[in-house]
């Protein structure tokens, strides 16, 4: 069973002690982001009592959160030991990213013509939070803010089902290259693309929006995945 502490180079799981609003959901969100960012690794087994001190909470909400993540297929129960993080194949990740590109790029580009500037500006603090998280090397906050930003943008298209499809695909993604980018001081450049995207949308420049989104999604299977994109 693997309840080893996070490596010194990787940020620890954030303490949630004392945070009461939507408490259970918050534990789920943090653990899900930790899985996506690679703080919790595929194939390793984690117990609720082992994770609880890293979150500053008791074992009960962690166990409940992990059971929720079992339903999402992100972990599986290992009797009398805890929860094993499920692996996602390279082929699956490529397929998820391909579907995301088919949805997110044209939908976001279309917002250049339809989105209310006030609604776009309302997302700027989230974009700035992404940059701040990158500067601090807080991968869990980075992943959470990134999800909030992009789902918030897609919601402006008015298709709730589309947003839920992308939410599911993003949860299935794994971004194991983020830690290396933090160490190299390169994550901030990717984070700033969110501000670049907002500026292009506000300028009503559909082509620029499409270019930024294409580049940005390319990181999912390139920089953020700790591999270079393939040509196939």
């Amino acid at each position: 069973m693997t309840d080893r502490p996070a490596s010194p180079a990787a940020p620890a799981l954030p303490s949630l002690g004392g945070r009461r609003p939507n408490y259970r959901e918050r534990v789920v969100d943090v653990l899900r982001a930790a899985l996506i960012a690679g703080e919790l690794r595929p194939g390793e087994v984690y117990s609720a009592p082992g994770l609880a001190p890293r979150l500053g909470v008791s074992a009960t909400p962690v166990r409940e959160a992990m059971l929720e993540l079992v339903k999402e297929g992100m972990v599986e129960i290992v009797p009398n030991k805890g929860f094993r993080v499920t692996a996602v194949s390279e082929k699956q990740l490529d397929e998820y990213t391909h579907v995301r590109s088919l949805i997110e790029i044209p939908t976001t580009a279309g917002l250049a013509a339809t989105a209310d500037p006030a609604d776009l500006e309302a997302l700027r603090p989230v974009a700035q939070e992404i940059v701040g998280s990158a500067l601090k090397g807080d991968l869990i906050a980075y992943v959470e803010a990134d999800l909030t930003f992009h789902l918030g943008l897609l919601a402006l298209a008015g298709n709730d089902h589309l947003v839920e499809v992308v939410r599911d695909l993003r949860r299935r993604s794994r971004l194991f290259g983020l830690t290396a980018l933090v160490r190299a001081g390169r994550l901030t450049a990717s984070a700033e693309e969110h501000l670049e995207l907002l500026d292009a949308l506000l300028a009503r420049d559909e082509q620029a929006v499409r270019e930024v989104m294409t580049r940005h999604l390319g990181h999912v299977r390139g920089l953020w995945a700790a591999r270079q994109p393939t040509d196939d």
Side-chain angles (χ1 to χ4, degrees):
M1 180 168 59
T2 306
D3 286 321
R4 65 188 185 207
S7 66
L13 299 180
S15 173
L16 299 179
R19 300 186 69 164
R20 295 301 175 192
N22 301 315
Y23 187 69
R24 182 175 173 229
E25 292 82 358
R26 181 67 185 134
V27 176
V28 174
D29 288 343
V30 166
L31 288 173
R32 185 187 293 114
L35 287 160
I36 293 172
E39 295 292 330
L40 303 179
R41 303 293 295 187
E44 296 190 355
V45 178
Y46 299 88
S47 70
L51 288 172
R54 295 170 61 182
L55 291 164
V57 299
S58 68
T60 298
V62 176
R63 186 176 296 108
E64 292 175 348
M66 292 299 265
L67 288 172
E68 190 67 29
L69 295 174
V70 168
K71 297 176 185 177
E72 296 180 14
M74 300 189 79
V75 298
E76 59 188 10
I77 297 173
V78 180
N80 303 318
K81 291 186 178 180
F83 302 87
R84 179 183 291 113
V85 179
T86 56
V88 182
S89 71
E90 294 289 326
K91 182 175 185 294
Q92 287 174 308
L93 290 173
D94 285 338
E95 290 174 349
Y96 298 156
T97 306
H98 178 61
V99 175
R100 283 179 56 188
S101 68
L102 293 175
I103 297 173
E104 292 188 63
I105 293 173
T107 302
T108 305
L111 293 174
T114 62
D116 186 320
D119 290 335
L120 293 171
E121 282 294 351
L123 288 169
R124 191 171 295 276
V126 184
Q128 291 168 337
E129 182 182 349
I130 297 170
V131 175
S133 299
L135 288 168
K136 291 184 293 185
D138 188 340
L139 298 186
I140 292 176
Y142 183 96
V143 168
E144 289 191 294
D146 180 74
L147 179 67
T148 298
F149 178 86
H150 287 286
L151 294 185
L153 267 185
L154 293 174
L156 299 181
N159 187 327
D160 293 340
H161 183 66
L162 179 150
V163 173
E164 288 307 309
V165 169
V166 174
R167 186 195 305 274
D168 180 63
L169 290 169
R170 281 178 168 268
R171 286 175 173 176
R172 294 173 184 272
S173 297
R174 298 293 186 272
L175 307 175
F176 298 147
L178 294 184
T179 299
L181 289 178
V182 169
R183 291 173 183 162
R186 298 174 61 195
L187 186 58
T188 304
S190 295
E192 289 174 344
E193 289 176 346
H194 298 85
L195 293 169
E196 183 183 356
L197 179 59
L198 277 182
D199 290 341
L201 284 164
L202 287 163
R204 302 300 192 191
D205 190 338
E206 182 175 335
Q207 183 57 36
V209 172
R210 189 176 295 275
E211 289 173 0
V212 175
M213 275 300 298
T214 300
R215 182 191 342 135
H216 192 67
L217 271 179
H219 298 329
V220 175
R221 300 302 294 133
L223 292 174
W224 297 347
R227 81 171 198 184
Q228 293 301 313
T230 60
D231 294 326
D232 50 28

